[in-house]
Amino acid sequence: MTDADGTAIAKLNTMAAMQDEHNQQVHPEWRTQGYAYYRAVWVECAEMLDHFGWKWWKAQAPDLEQVKLELVDIWHFALSELLRSDTLREDMGVQLNELTPASGSAASGDAEAFRQAIEKLAADSLVSQSFSLPPFIEAMQTLPMTYDELFDLYIGKNVLNRFRQDHGYKSGEYRKLWQGREDNEHLMEILNGLSVPPEVFADTLYQSLAERYEA
């Protein structure tokens, strides 16, 4: 095993542990509740297309930050399904780390390739009612989005999800709009300006979210 493989696997294990912790916050026995994670995946795919743009009858500019956050949301549900079904394998981290941008990608001007990749991911989730990694990797490749980006944004979104639960997301008390903008937008703005040591990253991000939410 190379050092790069070891780092990739460590990142996967970190995300898996954080996902398990978050799922326990939602329900201590989350593995046995029958949650339809596959359904969450295809719904997120539709939301992602709205952020990316697909309507031919109006001008649309892709919001790539929000598109990447939607992919991260899908990864939350994917990890949940893989953990619940005991099908998470360490080599998945290596596969994600080795992905390379597709020749036809949104970044190279091939927007339709990304739309079709998202539709494949949605279709796979609907047919299998589960999650498989290849369509997700194809979506990342055709954007493109790196494994490092996925990891960094996952940490950020996981903190936001914990913040939401702490402030009444499940009971309906949480306000998703702050100062006229969605919390995801605030998250990206904070992440883009955050420069702190890794050991205090999550706590600093959480406090930054709290300050904006309570303003």
Side-chain angles (χ1 to χ4, degrees):
M1 180 187 298
T2 66
D3 289 344
D5 289 347
T7 299
I9 291 169
K11 288 182 176 180
L12 180 66
N13 289 337
T14 295
M15 290 187 287
M18 292 181 71
Q19 189 62 48
D20 181 50
E21 182 179 0
H22 172 70
N23 288 357
Q24 288 186 46
Q25 186 182 22
V26 175
H27 196 296
E29 303 298 329
W30 65 273
R31 293 173 187 262
T32 58
Q33 300 309 299
Y35 296 139
Y37 293 118
Y38 81 92
R39 185 175 298 140
V41 169
W42 68 258
V43 171
E44 293 287 354
C45 285
E47 293 179 5
M48 192 182 334
L49 281 176
D50 276 337
H51 286 301
F52 186 75
W54 60 274
K55 298 176 182 178
W56 59 89
W57 62 89
K58 63 180 289 188
Q60 290 185 293
D63 187 343
L64 294 183
E65 284 192 344
Q66 292 304 311
V67 167
K68 289 180 178 181
L69 275 181
E70 295 294 349
L71 267 175
V72 170
D73 285 344
I74 288 172
W75 186 235
H76 278 75
F77 298 122
L79 281 172
S80 299
E81 179 61 37
L82 292 168
L83 286 167
R84 178 175 63 181
S85 59
D86 198 28
T87 54
L88 183 69
R89 305 186 315 273
E90 288 189 336
D91 69 284
M92 290 179 173
V94 178
Q95 292 177 52
L96 285 163
N97 194 48
E98 291 179 344
L99 68 84
T100 55
S103 56
S105 66
S108 65
D110 193 349
E112 187 60 21
F114 178 68
R115 296 188 186 103
Q116 291 179 5
I118 292 306
E119 288 170 347
K120 287 180 185 177
L121 179 57
D124 180 79
S125 69
L126 279 167
V127 172
S128 68
Q129 294 196 358
S130 184
F131 175 82
S132 56
L133 190 61
F136 183 77
I137 287 180
E138 183 177 351
M140 290 181 64
Q141 289 175 314
T142 54
L143 187 52
M145 180 180 184
T146 67
Y147 185 43
D148 285 341
E149 286 181 290
L150 178 67
F151 179 77
D152 291 344
L153 288 176
Y154 176 87
I155 301 300
K157 192 58 185 284
N158 185 280
V159 171
L160 176 59
N161 286 341
R162 176 159 56 90
F163 181 84
R164 286 171 169 175
Q165 291 296 326
D166 289 345
H167 290 78
Y169 200 53
K170 192 174 181 181
S171 63
E173 301 168 48
Y174 179 72
R175 293 179 289 106
K176 198 170 183 179
L177 287 176
W178 316 346
Q179 303 149 34
R181 291 189 295 161
E182 281 200 5
D183 54 6
N184 277 329
E185 296 178 66
H186 288 285
L187 172 66
M188 292 303 297
E189 191 170 270
I190 293 170
L191 286 175
N192 288 334
L194 200 59
S195 180
V196 296
E199 59 268 20
V200 298
F201 182 86
D203 289 342
T204 303
L205 175 58
Y206 190 100
Q207 183 58 39
S208 299
L209 291 168
E211 289 171 0
R212 291 195 178 206
Y213 185 74
E214 295 162 4

